[in-house]
Each structure stands twice: as C-alpha cells, then as structure tokens.
Amino acid sequence: MGGGAGRCPAALLLLALPLLALPGGLGKPTAWQERARPGTAQQHEDAPSFQYDHEAFLGKEEARSFDQLSPEESQERLGKIVDRIDENKDGYLTTEELKNWIKRVQKRYIYENVAKVWKDYDTNKDNKITWEEYKQATYGYYLENPEEFQDATDRHSFKKMLPRDERRFKTADLDGDSAATREEFTAFLHPEEFEHMKDIVVLETLEDIDKNEDGFVDQDEYIADMFANEEGGPEPDWVTTEREQFSDFRDLNKDGKMDKEEIQHWILPQDYDHALAEARHLVYESDVDKDQKLTKEEVLDNWNMFVGSQATNYGEDLTRNHDEL
C-alpha cells in the first residue's frame, strides 16, 4: 500500500442503514453502521480476495447476486456488462469508461438504499422524514421500554447515539425545517457523498477511534481500530506497516497524533478519486498487452477479479435474487 489512502473508497466510509428485527421497528443507529476506511483491517485478509473489486465494479447487492451464479453464468453476464461499459463501442474499455461505470454503480447503490428504507421512516407518507419520525422509528421502542435493555453497553450506546444522530440529521437538514427531503435524507445516511457533511464524517470518525477522549487519535488508537491483539503475541507484519503509515503519512505535523484536519486528509483526501483508482487497478491487473485499455477477452480472462461466482463464494448463504445489471 502506498503513502496515500488505500484503495478503499471514501464512499464506503458509512454503509447502508439496516433495520434491526426488534419490537416496534427499532432501527440501528447510523453510527453503528460498518465503516470501511482506507487502511483498515478489511484490506489485510490472509487469503487473497477480490471482494472489494467485486463491490466496486458491481455494487454491494449485485456482487452478492453474482456469488450465486456458476462461473459460466458469471462470465456470460460479465460479457454483457462489458458491452455496456464500452461507451463508444470501439471494442475496448478505457480507464475513463471504467471510472464512469464505477461512479454510476456507487451512485445507484446509494439512492437504491435510500429508496429501500424510505417507507420505514416516512410514516405519514408526506414524502418527507421529520426528525421525530426518524427518532420514533429508530429509538422509539428503547425510549418507551428502557427497562428491557438490561445490558449496560446497550443502554450507553443508545443514549450516546440518539444525540449523535440528531446532530447529523440537523446538519443534513439544509433548510432547517426538521424534515428531510429525499436528498437531505440521502445526505444523512451517506454523509461522505456530500460536501456540507464532511465535518460530520470527520467528527464521527474521531469520536469512534478516540478512546481516551482527548480530541486526537494517537498511533495506538489508530491501530486498535483495525487490529485487536487479543492473544498478546507479536503483531502481524501489516500492523507494523500501518504503524509506519501513521508516522509517515497520517501524522502530518509529526506530533504523535492526528487532529481533525489530519483525519480528514486520511479518510477524505481531496486528491483521491476512488473510482479512478479502482479503474486504474482493474486495467493494470488485466491489461495483458499493456496498451492501457482492455478488450473483452482480457476482462473475461481475468473475470474473477471483476465478478464472483459460486466458485469464489466463501460459503455465505446468500439467496437473494437480483435482476441483471
């Protein structure tokens, strides 16, 4: 991994908001969503995996659908996708065409996610979601039945997350009417995609990692966010590399810790286009004749980097069916 951010996109900092199967439709607070930040342990699997490439190229849900296909079916559908990506129909995929495709896939995922959960929160069906509607749908059962949450960690988490969600909601609510339009609710669920939400992304990241609550992220906190040395043995080599990354590239002013500005440079680097980086990566790994573009044959010869199949599925029981891209 180079000196900048890893290939993990800023757009995946905060993923979709799933609902918990609890009484009263209680939802999962937004900050409980899985984060995938540049340089996290998700990039340090022992076995080689193209999961990130699959999700960047197809979108998270569509990548899962490919995992249900035979290798032959996956390659057949990939061939059809290649034809769609080839905008000028010259028989080649350029880095620019791949970048445009990946951007469309990410945008589609975001708006499909919002559409999927919209009805769960717009309870009065007025095509807006008020803070009260969201709070009731997400925290209502807890607020009405606190005695059922005996676990101290759960109680603490809910008390912490409610004001945090409210802070994010108010930031997304640009007109300040306490009711989110679809665009405002999209900013609430996916703040990393909106310029006016970037301070919230940085602040929430800081709050998550800053365990001693001194307003900074030191090297040990940085490492602890991606690696827990529960067995007390020697750290893996990649952890040593991450410590070097922290010292050389994260801690810009060399004071031994990251402040908000340095955190933003890490997770939302201005000079980093994740779609372009992924497109360049796919071309580099598949361009056999090194002409800086891909033929359909080159893509299909390296098909398992672009898409999964039953042969590359790690035993997940994924049974949902999706329409072809």
Side-chain angles (χ1 to χ4, degrees):
M1 190 165 58
R7 284 196 302 108
C8 197
L12 292 182
L13 285 166
L14 298 167
L15 304 183
L17 180 81
L19 294 180
L20 290 176
L22 292 178
L26 182 65
K28 180 182 288 187
T30 54
W32 285 12
Q33 299 167 55
E34 178 186 5
R35 288 194 320 278
R37 289 189 302 278
T40 64
Q42 295 176 23
Q43 293 176 274
H44 303 290
E45 297 175 357
D46 293 334
S49 171
F50 297 130
Q51 186 65 30
Y52 172 74
D53 298 299
H54 297 168
E55 292 182 3
F57 183 73
L58 295 169
K60 194 175 184 72
E61 293 297 320
E62 196 64 25
R64 288 177 176 173
S65 76
F66 268 77
D67 287 342
Q68 302 306 301
L69 303 177
S70 68
E72 294 75 20
E73 290 171 321
S74 284
Q75 291 176 65
E76 180 182 357
R77 286 180 62 175
L78 175 59
K80 295 177 182 178
I81 292 173
V82 169
D83 293 337
R84 295 185 61 186
I85 299 173
D86 182 14
E87 297 169 1
N88 61 5
K89 306 305 178 187
D90 66 349
Y92 296 95
L93 300 190
T94 63
T95 299
E96 183 71 13
E97 287 172 328
L98 277 166
K99 181 194 75 172
N100 293 340
W101 169 262
I102 291 168
K103 284 184 179 291
R104 286 197 301 271
V105 165
Q106 177 61 24
K107 187 174 182 179
R108 182 190 64 194
Y109 161 73
I110 289 170
Y111 284 96
E112 284 182 351
N113 167 243
V114 173
K116 186 185 302 183
V117 302
W118 182 267
K119 64 181 183 299
D120 296 310
Y121 297 110
D122 181 19
T123 54
N124 66 0
K125 310 304 178 188
D126 66 349
N127 210 33
K128 284 189 174 185
I129 295 172
T130 66
W131 167 245
E132 288 301 319
E133 284 178 313
Y134 177 81
K135 182 175 72 172
Q136 185 60 34
T138 304
Y139 298 99
Y141 188 82
Y142 165 74
L143 293 172
E144 294 170 7
N145 305 277
E147 70 281 355
E148 293 192 22
F149 293 80
Q150 299 299 322
D151 184 81
T153 300
D154 284 347
R155 289 199 304 272
H156 174 75
S157 295
F158 275 89
K159 288 180 180 178
K160 177 182 176 182
M161 297 319 306
L162 195 155
R164 181 160 152 164
D165 268 1
E166 185 173 15
R167 180 183 65 193
R168 190 199 281 194
F169 192 96
K170 288 180 176 178
T171 305
D173 179 23
L174 287 176
D175 59 10
D177 64 351
S178 296
T181 62
R182 282 187 181 264
E183 190 72 5
E184 289 172 333
F185 198 65
T186 302
F188 173 67
L189 292 187
H190 298 276
E192 70 286 344
E193 295 296 318
F194 293 81
E195 186 67 32
H196 68 283
M197 299 294 291
K198 288 186 176 180
D199 287 348
I200 284 289
V201 175
V202 171
L203 180 58
E204 291 182 1
T205 301
L206 172 61
E207 291 173 344
D208 286 343
I209 306 177
D210 177 24
K211 299 307 181 185
N212 64 9
E213 299 182 351
D214 66 349
F216 300 94
V217 173
D218 61 35
Q219 187 183 101
D220 288 338
E221 290 170 331
Y222 172 80
I223 294 298
D225 186 56
M226 61 184 81
F227 173 71
N229 195 355
E230 297 175 352
E231 298 179 1
E235 292 181 341
D237 290 343
W238 69 261
V239 174
T240 302
T241 300
E242 281 298 338
R243 290 191 181 277
E244 295 170 356
Q245 288 280 314
F246 182 91
S247 299
D248 295 342
F249 303 107
R250 311 294 184 223
D251 178 18
L252 300 176
N253 63 6
K254 308 307 176 187
D255 65 351
K257 55 193 176 184
M258 283 195 291
D259 56 24
K260 288 181 182 178
E261 185 176 341
E262 289 166 323
I263 291 171
Q264 179 165 335
H265 186 269
W266 167 40
I267 64 174
L268 299 172
Q270 292 184 351
D271 58 349
Y272 183 77
D273 183 332
H274 78 84
L276 178 59
E278 177 64 15
R280 286 173 173 169
H281 167 69
L282 291 173
V283 171
Y284 177 82
E285 295 293 340
S286 308
D287 183 19
V288 176
D289 60 10
K290 304 305 177 185
D291 62 354
Q292 307 300 312
K293 53 189 177 182
L294 301 181
T295 62
K296 180 184 282 190
E297 181 180 8
E298 286 175 320
V299 173
L300 294 178
D301 283 346
N302 198 26
W303 66 274
N304 61 344
M305 170 165 277
F306 291 83
V307 299
S309 74
Q310 290 174 345
T312 56
N313 180 12
Y314 294 94
E316 292 181 86
D317 182 21
L318 303 171
T319 57
R320 298 175 61 185
N321 295 317
H322 299 274
D323 295 332
E324 183 170 308
L325 279 168

